[in-house]
């Protein structure tokens, strides 16, 4: 079984397609102008301004009047409310800053404590029978050729070690 099918193309479709092709070709190509670098602008020299003449004092001399501050303006209730809210918020801000300083101090203190605990060496028990051990070593150094002379010191060290083992277990 063969599947056959056919496609019909109308002449108007062909004309439209050809028209599109022709309209594309009818467009003019843009001319590209080469860019010429513009010379940098010359700074303009300012002409010297004439110095204004200093006024001459009047015949009686200069008289200076005191500066009087402007009279206080009458305030509206809205402005008063805004000022009171502003003052309250400033007080709250001061309290928060104090609280922040206290908390920062507390945190640094706790951090120091934790650091000290973490890096502190654990309590080390003194080595038992240290003096007897030192006595044995000293005796062996003095009597290198005749170690039997150190028998009493060695026995004392042995007894001390035996007692230390019993205390641990």
């Amino acid at each position: 079984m063969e599947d056959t099918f056919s496609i019909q193309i109308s002449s108007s479709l062909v004309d439209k397609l050809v028209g599109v092709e022709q309209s594309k070709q009818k467009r003019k190509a843009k001319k590209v102008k080469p860019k010429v670098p513009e010379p940098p602008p010359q700074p303009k020299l300012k002409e010297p301004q004439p110095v204004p003449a200093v006024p001459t004092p009047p015949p009686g001399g200069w008289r200076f009047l005191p500066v009087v501050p402007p009279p206080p303006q009458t305030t509206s209730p809205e402005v008063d409310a805004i000022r009171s809210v502003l003052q309250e918020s400033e007080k709250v801000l001061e309290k928060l800053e104090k609280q922040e300083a206290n908390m920062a101090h507390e945190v640094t203190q706790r951090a120091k404590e934790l650091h000290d605990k973490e890096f502190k060496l654990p309590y080390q028990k003194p080595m038992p029978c240290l003096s007897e051990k030192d006595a044995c070593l000293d005796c062996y150094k003095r009597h290198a050729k005749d170690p039997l002379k150190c028998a009493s010191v060695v026995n004392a060290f042995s007894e001390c070690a035996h007692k230390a083992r019993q205390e641990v277990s």
Side-chain angles (χ1 to χ4, degrees), residues 28-87:
K28 293 181 180 178
K30 290 184 178 180
K31 292 182 182 178
V32 179
K33 293 183 180 178
K35 289 190 176 181
V36 178
E38 294 180 18
Q42 297 279 337
K44 294 182 180 179
L45 297 175
K46 292 183 179 180
E47 294 182 18
Q49 297 285 332
V51 178
V54 178
T56 57
W62 293 105
R63 291 186 184 164
F64 296 101
L65 297 174
V67 178
V68 179
Q73 297 177 355
T74 56
T75 59
S76 67
E78 294 173 352
V79 174
D80 290 338
I82 291 172
R83 284 185 182 149
S84 65
V85 169
L86 181 63
Q87 288 174 350

Side-chain angles (χ1 to χ4, degrees), residues 12-30:
S12 63
L13 178 63
V14 172
D15 289 340
K16 285 181 183 178
L17 291 173
V18 171
V20 169
E21 293 287 328
Q22 290 175 353
S23 66
K24 285 185 181 177
Q25 292 175 356
K26 288 181 182 178
R27 290 185 186 167
K28 293 181 180 178
K30 290 184 178 180

Side-chain angles (χ1 to χ4, degrees), residues 149-169:
K149 291 184 178 179
C150 299
S152 61
V153 180
V154 171
N155 284 337
F157 179 57
S158 176
E159 288 176 19
C160 181
H162 182 66
K163 288 179 186 177
R165 278 191 219 123
Q166 286 179 349
E167 288 176 7
V168 171
S169 40

Side-chain angles (χ1 to χ4, degrees), residues 87-105:
Q87 288 174 350
E88 288 177 22
S89 63
E90 287 175 351
K91 289 177 184 177
V92 169
L93 178 65
E94 289 175 6
K95 287 180 183 178
L96 288 174
E97 287 174 345
K98 287 178 184 178
Q99 192 176 17
E100 180 185 8
N102 290 339
M103 290 178 76
H105 179 69

Side-chain angles (χ1 to χ4, degrees), residues 96-167:
L96 288 174
E97 287 174 345
K98 287 178 184 178
Q99 192 176 17
E100 180 185 8
N102 290 339
M103 290 178 76
H105 179 69
E106 196 174 312
V107 167
T108 53
Q109 245 182 347
R110 288 186 182 177
K112 285 179 184 178
E113 290 173 5
L114 287 173
H115 185 269
D116 292 343
K117 286 180 183 178
E118 182 178 351
F119 293 106
K120 189 175 182 181
L121 293 175
Y123 175 73
Q124 294 180 350
K125 294 179 183 178
M127 187 173 178
C129 309
L130 189 59
S131 60
E132 286 84 357
K133 180 188 107 174
D134 290 339
C136 279
L137 291 175
D138 189 41
C139 183
Y140 279 128
K141 285 179 185 176
R142 281 186 281 141
H143 304 288
K145 294 185 179 180
D146 193 13
L148 293 177
K149 291 184 178 179
C150 299
S152 61
V153 180
V154 171
N155 284 337
F157 179 57
S158 176
E159 288 176 19
C160 181
H162 182 66
K163 288 179 186 177
R165 278 191 219 123
Q166 286 179 349
E167 288 176 7

